[in-house]
Amino acid sequence: MTDLIPELRTPTADAGTGHVKTGTSVSRIDGRDKVTGAARYAAEFAADGLANEVANELLHGVVVNSSITKGRIVSFDTSAALAQPGVIEVITYLNRPKMRSFDLFYKDMTAPGGAPFRPLYDEQIVSNAQPVALVVAETFEAARHAAALVIVHYEEEAHETGLLNYLSRPHKPKGFKAGYSPPPDEKGHAEQAWQDADCKIEGEYYSGVEHHNPLELFASTVIRSADGHLTIYDKTQSSQNSRWYVSRVFGLSRSEVTVRNPYVGGAFGAGLRPQYQLPLAVMASLMLQRSVRVVMTRQQMFTFGHRPETWQRLKLAASRDGVLQSIAHDAVAETSRFEDYVEVVVNWSGQLYACENIRLGYQLVDLDQFSPMDMRAPGAAHGVHALEVAMDELSYQVGIDPLALRLKNYAESNPMDDLPYSTKELRACYAQGAERFGWNARPLAPRSRKEGTEWVGWGMATGIWDAMQMFARASAVLHADGRLVVSSAATDIGTGTYTVMATIAAEEMGLPLEHVAFQLGDSTLPVAPIEGGSSHVATVGSAVQGACEKLKKTLFKLAKQLPDSPFPKARFADVEFVDGHVRLRRTQETGIALAALLKAAETSRVEEKYLLLPNMLKQKKYVRAVHSAVFCEVRVDEEFGTVRVTRVVSAVAAGRIINTKTAASQVSGAVVWGISQALHEETQMDHALGRFMNHNLGEYHVAVNADIHDIDVIFVQEDDRIVSRLGAKGVGEIGIVGVAAAISNAIYHATGKRVRSTPITPDKVMC
């Protein structure tokens, strides 16, 4: 790993280097490598140094995608492609390497579980732009040119695409997916309570398809050694997940495959499963016994999954003074023909507000489209949007300020089962966010303020997301020169994992940050879960702290065993680790430097490992969640329908914050994505073709610098020792939840126009 991730980096701490504590602001350890180009990503590793061993250079693969949506392949004509100079092979389902049974090893084999798409499996076409061939050549240019010459003959069948066209045939999800909880049973009698209520609202909500567009394209570089070992550099959120997948499908032992992902240029759910470029690259490498790279194009980034198109109906009822009497929330989402992709969409409506009558429903519609996939805050990003827009609408119905309505219905325990929260500082989020924003100056009536040609509106919404913890191992090694190297097969998708884990270790061991390195991104390192669900700090961070705690105890035992030990009668509780020393707490002059301790013990290194297992018996007694309150200001030009989000305040309660700088960066970035979700992002399909048409960054609109103005992030003090031994929860996904709803509500306050679908484009504002 030292060739990829230097063991020691000099961090740039805002308060200078040296001893740092969690909860302070520390710049990214890997920042310099990224901005100078020293950091290498999946498509940037070459077979340099191996060329002499394998007597070949790196080959390049380019994927050929289907031009139909449903049917079967009748035949291929690859003659023109194979005749091109430099072309080595065209791989299809007809000549691919033999693999283990797809049915046995694909289904439920990856995290998240399900039935992942099987590239080049057979002649069946199940979605438009499905990969049907891989052209492999000596150069990328030759492979790309030859790929355009491959002719595929199809027998086409009628297809069904577009959720709204088939809402009449939904079904309940089949099977099980880790992390998915079906809606709980009805509480009370929601429909009757809605019918009997004095004040009630009902609305339909629609969110279109969104596609992940991280800066780094999905890529896999497979480097084959002379002994047949495959070292794979993959764009993934888990090196071990990709290694497990490859070894099972291709019948390879663990010792034959190493997967590395030292740097990942954004993923946000797209990298939870191995995408199809990985098995295609491995197929080619095994078949040709060469090193191979396969990189998706930007257009192909639109072919392997997306945030699902979702339709919702939400009904709220309340007494005249604003006390909720009924919540009924139904959702129907798309899935593919080959698996039931599921999300937690409606359950949030049973968690946020106190109510005696709650009914929740979630169903799917099978379509001839690729499976949707997890995309930042899956389910919550659009499920909470519907609830929070409905709550805003209800506030006008009962004549109460939107924030006051939420406080009136604040849930002190989980409404569906009365379980307590592990921690919940949502009231403080409301209070601190409102004060920072100046909410008390907001007029209640819409269309109350106009500046020039723009109507000004203020809106707010609540956010909620799970506070998850998984299992992980970590290793901590103290070297004789005082360096500490901590390792786990974690992933950094740009969230600051390198820096946060090093900070946790440095604080626990009492070492300067520049003496600590955290190694990740290698499947040979101690086991770690996928980087998803905003769980990495609570999980891997706790394992890192545990490993360092064990290491301290081992070092203390070594110190006690020295002939002239400074701690002959001391207990572990009597000592502390500070500034590279272990010393007595009460007599701080009594101690020994860690480097001197290892020298005296005649050892070059001391290592300890720790397995973090969540205390499920304890955790299941609580509802574990992160919360937020989002306040925003919009300015709407009514004639043109253009919307500017000029101010956002996001107040977040997410346990102890380990690094305020990287955490605030995550939340502000998520707010940007929320603005993009609210106003810009939607992938448009031509249903006659069954094909996404705006599959590029010129026509798939995302927020750009000119769309983003003031974003203010507040972290409310919270310490949750139920979720993690660190007291930390996740901060990544909570930042997007509620943002689109707050913007929608602000648009109504500005214009009096209620828009219940996203994105809120100018035509919807003007109509």
Side-chain angles (χ1 to χ4, degrees), residues 14 33 50 95 287 289 358 589 759:
D14 293 351
D33 286 349
L50 295 179
N95 65 344
M287 181 177 180
Q289 298 187 20
I358 304 174
E589 308 83 45

Side-chain angles (χ1 to χ4, degrees), residues 509-716:
M509 294 299 300
L511 291 170
L513 187 58
E514 58 266 32
H515 289 183
V516 179
F518 181 65
Q519 292 186 324
L520 54 70
D522 190 311
S523 62
T524 63
L525 295 174
V527 65
I530 55 174
E531 205 277 18
S534 302
S535 63
H536 239 35
V537 170
T539 302
V540 180
S542 293
V544 165
Q545 188 191 53
C548 291
E549 184 178 69
K550 286 183 67 176
L551 182 61
K552 289 194 300 183
K553 291 179 179 179
T554 299
L555 292 168
F556 175 65
K557 289 179 182 178
L558 280 178
K560 284 181 67 70
Q561 293 168 2
L562 295 177
D564 54 347
S565 173
F567 317 115
K569 298 181 180 180
R571 300 170 301 168
F572 181 70
D574 298 329
V575 301
E576 61 183 356
F577 286 72
V578 179
D579 295 331
H581 291 70
V582 54
R583 67 190 188 190
L584 288 174
R585 293 181 185 275
R586 294 185 178 180
T587 311
Q588 296 182 357
E589 308 83 45
T590 302
I592 184 172
L594 297 181
L597 171 58
L598 266 63
K599 183 177 181 180
E602 298 182 343
T603 183
S604 61
R605 67 199 297 273
V606 178
E607 178 178 9
E608 285 295 343
K609 297 179 180 180
Y610 183 82
L611 171 62
L612 184 281
L613 293 173
N615 187 342
M616 297 304 298
L617 290 177
K618 183 178 182 180
Q619 290 183 351
K620 72 179 184 179
K621 298 176 182 178
Y622 299 88
V623 172
R624 305 176 305 281
V626 291
H627 298 89
S628 69
V630 185
F631 299 83
C632 82
E633 175 184 270
V634 302
R635 294 171 183 261
V636 183
D637 189 305
E638 195 171 31
E639 292 186 4
F640 291 100
T642 53
V643 179
R644 295 192 300 132
V645 180
T646 49
R647 283 197 300 140
V648 177
V649 173
S650 179
V652 176
R656 287 184 61 235
I657 303 303
I658 304 301
N659 184 342
T660 56
K661 187 171 189 176
T662 55
S665 177
Q666 283 200 64
V667 174
S668 60
V671 168
V672 171
W673 201 347
I675 294 171
S676 200
Q677 176 195 7
L679 302 178
H680 304 285
E681 292 195 46
E682 184 175 17
T683 321
Q684 302 285 347
M685 176 178 282
D686 183 331
H687 294 296
L689 300 174
R691 190 179 190 88
F692 292 117
M693 304 306 292
N694 56 329
H695 54 314
N696 56 72
L697 293 184
E699 296 171 297
Y700 181 86
H701 295 169
V702 298
V704 297
N705 287 351
D707 298 309
I708 306 304
H709 298 275
D710 294 338
I711 299 175
D712 194 356
V713 178
I714 301 170
F715 288 117
V716 171

Side-chain angles (χ1 to χ4, degrees), residues 125-390:
I125 301 298
V126 297
S127 66
N128 203 294
Q130 170 183 322
V132 295
L134 181 73
V135 177
V136 185
E138 297 285 356
T139 66
F140 168 72
E141 291 77 11
R144 181 175 59 179
H145 175 61
L149 301 177
V150 173
I151 299 173
V152 186
H153 299 284
Y154 302 97
E155 184 179 280
E156 191 168 2
E157 300 175 22
H159 60 263
E160 296 178 341
T161 58
L163 174 68
L164 298 182
N165 297 326
Y166 300 99
L167 286 175
S168 61
R169 56 172 177 81
H171 65 82
K172 290 185 178 180
K174 303 179 291 292
F176 169 80
K177 173 187 171 185
Y180 168 71
S181 299
D185 293 337
E186 182 174 2
K187 174 186 178 182
H189 303 280
E191 184 60 32
Q192 189 60 52
W194 188 82
Q195 294 289 347
D196 296 341
D198 293 326
C199 300
K200 51 194 173 187
I201 59 103
E202 177 179 10
E204 294 184 4
Y205 301 80
Y206 173 77
S207 50
V209 169
E210 296 175 62
H211 272 87
H212 307 72
N213 272 289
L215 186 61
E216 182 192 10
L217 299 170
F218 271 85
S220 298
T221 300
V222 182
I223 297 179
R224 185 180 186 275
S225 301
D227 61 0
H229 183 275
L230 302 182
T231 301
I232 305 171
Y233 298 95
D234 190 37
K235 195 252 177 60
T236 176
Q237 288 174 247
S238 171
S239 61
Q240 292 177 330
N241 198 35
S242 291
R243 187 206 59 77
W244 198 94
Y245 173 97
V246 166
S247 63
R248 292 305 189 275
V249 170
F250 294 99
L252 302 172
S253 67
R254 177 181 296 187
S255 62
E256 293 178 286
V257 181
T258 300
V259 177
R260 292 175 173 172
N261 62 333
Y263 294 99
V264 179
F268 311 106
L272 294 181
R273 279 182 174 175
Q275 298 304 343
Y276 62 71
Q277 90 289 336
L278 174 61
L280 294 182
V282 175
M283 279 184 199
S285 181
L286 293 174
M287 181 177 180
L288 303 173
Q289 298 187 20
R290 298 276 297 269
S291 299
V292 178
R293 173 180 297 146
V294 178
V295 184
M296 289 189 185
T297 65
R298 180 59 63 180
Q299 288 72 28
Q300 287 169 342
M301 296 283 284
F302 288 80
T303 66
F304 58 81
H306 50 268
R307 194 190 296 280
E309 186 179 12
T310 306
W311 172 92
Q312 302 175 72
R313 175 182 285 120
L314 211 146
K315 300 165 71 173
L316 297 180
S319 60
R320 293 190 183 278
D321 62 352
V323 176
L324 278 171
Q325 311 223 318
S326 176
I327 300 173
H329 190 175
D330 293 285
V332 180
E334 58 155 315
T335 190
S336 66
R337 298 286 192 188
F338 53 88
E339 70 172 322
D340 277 3
Y341 170 82
V342 290
E343 293 182 334
V344 177
V345 177
V346 300
N347 298 25
W348 315 104
S349 293
Q351 294 184 33
L352 266 180
Y353 301 111
C355 185
E356 293 301 316
N357 302 283
I358 304 174
R359 183 189 59 75
L360 309 171
Y362 176 68
Q363 294 181 291
L364 301 174
V365 171
D366 301 340
L367 297 170
D368 298 309
Q369 298 173 197
F370 203 97
S371 282
M373 62 167 46
D374 293 341
M375 186 171 182
R376 175 141 284 200
H382 41 278
V384 174
H385 170 266
L387 174 65
E388 289 301 289
V389 173

Side-chain angles (χ1 to χ4, degrees), residues 59-95:
L59 299 179
H60 298 265
V62 170
V63 178
V64 179
N65 300 89
S66 70
S67 60
I68 69 168
T69 300
K70 185 178 182 180
R72 56 183 292 270
I73 299 169
V74 175
S75 63
F76 294 94
D77 183 349
T78 61
S79 56
L82 290 169
Q84 298 304 305
V87 173
I88 305 297
E89 186 60 272
V90 178
I91 304 174
T92 71
Y93 79 93
L94 295 171
N95 65 344

